[in-house]
Amino acid sequence: MREIAFIKQNKQKWLDFEQVIFGKTKKNPDEIANLYVQLVNDLSYAQTYYPKSKTVVYLNYLASQIYQKIYKTKRTQTNQLVYFFKTEVPLILYEYKRYLIYAFVLFFAMVTLGVISAKYDENFVRLILGDGYVNETLENIKNGNPVAIYKSGSDWGSFIGITVNNLKVGAYCYMFGIFIGLGTFYISLQNAIMLGSFQYFFYQQGVFWESVRGIWIHGSMEIFAIVIETAAGFILGASILFPRTFSRMNSFKIGFKNSFKIFLSTIPFTIAAGFLEGFITRYSIDMPIWLSCFIILFTLAVISFYYLVYPFIIHKKQKA
């Protein structure tokens, strides 16, 4: 069958599926499950005969959305918060995995730009970090504790202030995706260049390792969360720029719903990073090297597993 004939034959059925997805038509769980089976059959046919067609992309999207609806109806006995982090977010992450790749590539390319800028322009670090911060850090380096700035203020005061600021940065990074992703790009660019120039500054002063031991105790989760929030912002922007077969408004609704859930998932990690920065980082210069390395590697492993590995495990499990 030619693709045009295949689309014409099934168009109305697929539009009915969209009505179910957007909640404009109510179906019981058995009916939704039946729709899913039909859609998977259509998807398999399209993948076989029109593998490079946009029809495959469209049907795959419909199938994933109906699949999520099926599992939402099965979680009446399940704690919704547990379901959100354990199943819903990982499935969304798997669906949008390419945006995570874009965010990581962009962020670390910009970190490299920050390093190069700091290397070839001696005033760049002061421009980015401010004279006050640079001068204080230089004084701390002379006194033998490059990350002494993290000792300023009380434990609780630092934790609350840092966490609120990091949550604000993450929210901006995500919400500015509404400007077709350009706002997210700008916030991500600022943070990446700051990170690159910041770390090169310590390298220049000959205390790179000491800075890594301190900064990355909280930085593993903090920076990783910003990259994920960048991906969420790109998803939001892409839903406006590339509506595919949906109306632009419906595409935006879907993009906003899914990207917002990804953004929400970063909040516990941002809070954990704030806790580490407020209570632990200040003691990094005094703690054993093995302990600081363990905290850095452990926190990086936890957040990396959740966002980069676990979605594939859940997707494979749900398909089985």
Side-chain angles (χ1 to χ4, degrees):
M1 183 188 302
R2 294 180 61 189
E3 185 178 3
I4 294 176
F6 175 68
I7 294 173
K8 187 175 181 180
Q9 177 180 307
N10 295 286
K11 181 180 178 181
Q12 189 55 50
K13 178 174 61 177
W14 299 340
L15 291 175
D16 292 340
F17 292 164
E18 285 191 29
Q19 297 297 308
V20 174
I21 291 171
F22 295 123
K24 295 180 180 179
T25 301
K26 301 296 181 182
K27 298 282 186 182
N28 63 48
D30 290 335
E31 289 175 320
I32 294 176
N34 183 52
L35 291 178
Y36 180 70
V37 171
Q38 294 180 49
L39 201 53
V40 168
N41 289 337
D42 289 343
L43 176 59
S44 297
Y45 185 90
Q47 287 174 328
T48 302
Y49 294 101
Y50 327 112
K52 297 183 180 180
S53 169
K54 289 184 178 180
T55 303
V56 173
V57 177
Y58 171 68
L59 292 177
N60 190 56
Y61 178 78
L62 288 183
S64 67
Q65 293 300 307
I66 289 183
Y67 182 84
Q68 287 186 38
K69 277 194 168 289
I70 292 172
Y71 276 83
K72 281 181 181 179
T73 62
K74 290 185 177 182
R75 62 186 171 102
T76 54
Q77 301 297 321
T78 304
N79 183 298
Q80 292 190 12
L81 188 61
V82 171
Y83 175 82
F84 176 79
F85 284 101
K86 185 179 178 182
T87 304
E88 189 170 8
V89 170
L91 287 175
I92 294 172
L93 287 166
Y94 181 85
E95 181 182 343
Y96 291 100
K97 54 186 177 295
R98 68 183 183 278
Y99 289 95
L100 269 66
I101 296 172
Y102 301 156
F104 273 102
V105 170
L106 170 70
F107 191 85
F108 287 107
M110 295 302 102
V111 167
T112 303
L113 179 61
V115 170
I116 293 172
S117 299
K119 180 178 181 180
Y120 291 102
D121 184 350
E122 60 182 17
N123 296 316
F124 187 77
V125 173
R126 290 183 176 275
L127 178 66
I128 296 296
L129 301 176
D131 287 331
Y133 184 91
V134 172
N135 291 336
E136 184 176 351
T137 302
L138 287 172
E139 188 64 30
N140 290 335
I141 292 171
K142 288 180 183 177
N143 295 331
N145 188 354
V147 292
I149 198 166
Y150 293 105
K151 285 190 173 184
S152 59
S154 66
D155 293 352
W156 277 102
S158 296
F159 164 54
I160 294 171
I162 289 164
T163 300
V164 169
N165 180 70
N166 290 346
L167 288 171
K168 188 191 300 183
V169 170
Y172 286 158
C173 195
Y174 165 62
M175 291 189 301
F176 283 9
I178 196 72
F179 302 110
I180 59 174
L182 295 178
T184 292
F185 174 80
Y186 177 72
I187 299 295
S188 181
L189 177 68
Q190 281 185 317
N191 283 278
I193 288 180
M194 184 181 297
L195 174 62
S197 59
F198 183 60
Q199 282 289 202
Y200 188 79
F201 168 67
F202 284 105
Y203 172 78
Q204 244 178 352
Q205 302 303 317
V207 289
F208 178 75
W209 173 238
E210 290 83 349
S211 73
V212 168
R213 283 180 53 202
I215 296 165
W216 289 95
I217 283 177
H218 61 271
S220 293
M221 283 190 171
E222 180 184 323
I223 298 303
F224 206 113
I226 289 175
V227 177
I228 300 302
E229 288 150 359
T230 298
F234 285 162
I235 293 168
L236 184 61
S239 71
I240 301 170
L241 275 176
F242 311 111
R244 294 177 293 187
T245 57
F246 299 103
S247 69
R248 203 169 296 276
M249 179 55 70
N250 283 337
S251 175
F252 172 71
K253 288 178 180 178
I254 295 169
F256 173 73
K257 180 184 70 174
N258 290 332
S259 62
F260 186 64
K261 288 176 180 177
I262 293 174
F263 165 68
L264 287 179
S265 75
T266 66
I267 291 177
F269 294 105
T270 301
I271 294 173
F275 175 84
L276 290 170
E277 187 170 354
F279 288 91
I280 309 299
T281 299
R282 63 180 59 228
Y283 303 113
S284 63
I285 200 71
D286 303 314
M287 67 174 61
I289 294 177
W290 70 264
L291 181 56
S292 57
C293 289
F294 172 77
I295 295 172
I296 293 169
L297 294 175
F298 179 76
T299 54
L300 182 59
V302 168
I303 196 168
S304 297
F305 176 79
Y306 183 74
Y307 285 104
L308 303 181
V309 179
Y310 188 59
F312 288 87
I313 294 173
I314 288 297
H315 175 76
K316 186 175 180 180
K317 182 180 177 181
Q318 299 289 8
K319 285 187 69 177

